[in-house]
Amino acid sequence: QVQLVESGGGLVQPGGSLRLSCAASGLTFSSYAMSWYRQAPGKERELVASISSTGLSTNYADSVKGRFTISRDRAKRMVYLQMNSLKPEDTAVYYCNAKGVAGWSGLDYWGKGTLVTISS
């Protein structure tokens, strides 16, 4: 059974930092591109950052470029999102996503999310 479990959310003041973690189990980790999405109240879910199955390629939403960094640890089967210079508009539930590549294409899994609140 595939599980993606996010952690690290919380309440932070503007300008602060947080590191989100996603623990993956039940899948061939190296065969999945990993992403972080977020959904703010009243808004659609949006892609924040993604990292290729090899870890060699990353992609970021314009709104977080230069502030957020996505990374993955193959040995630990973990994905991280380092978030710096946080703004109130970063407030959202953040979701971890795994998308299969190559022979696993079409497989798509989601975590349950972790809440990030940026407020003074």
Side-chain angles (χ1 to χ4, degrees):
Q1 181 181 1
V2 175
Q3 281 193 310
L4 300 175
V5 180
E6 303 96 335
S7 61
L11 173 63
V12 176
Q13 292 188 342
S17 297
L18 275 177
R19 189 176 83 152
L20 304 184
S21 300
C22 172
S25 61
L27 51 70
T28 305
F29 188 64
S30 59
S31 296
Y32 287 78
M34 303 298 295
S35 299
W36 287 95
Y37 285 74
R38 68 185 180 188
Q39 187 167 19
K43 295 188 177 181
E44 294 188 353
R45 191 173 296 190
E46 64 173 353
L47 177 65
V48 175
S50 60
I51 186 166
S52 64
S53 58
T54 62
L56 297 178
S57 177
T58 58
N59 184 55
Y60 297 91
D62 287 343
S63 59
V64 306
K65 279 181 182 176
R67 300 189 298 122
F68 291 11
T69 302
I70 189 171
S71 61
R72 63 191 294 163
D73 185 323
R74 179 177 180 177
K76 295 182 178 178
R77 303 165 65 86
M78 297 287 293
V79 182
Y80 305 100
L81 186 68
Q82 178 66 43
M83 306 187 295
N84 300 326
S85 302
L86 285 162
K87 305 175 180 180
E89 51 263 43
D90 294 318
T91 295
V93 177
Y94 283 72
Y95 297 91
C96 182
N97 172 262
K99 284 187 175 61
V101 299
W104 286 263
S105 180
L107 297 176
D108 194 357
Y109 301 103
W110 292 88
K112 294 183 178 180
T114 185
L115 177 62
V116 172
T117 303
I118 312 303
S119 175
S120 55

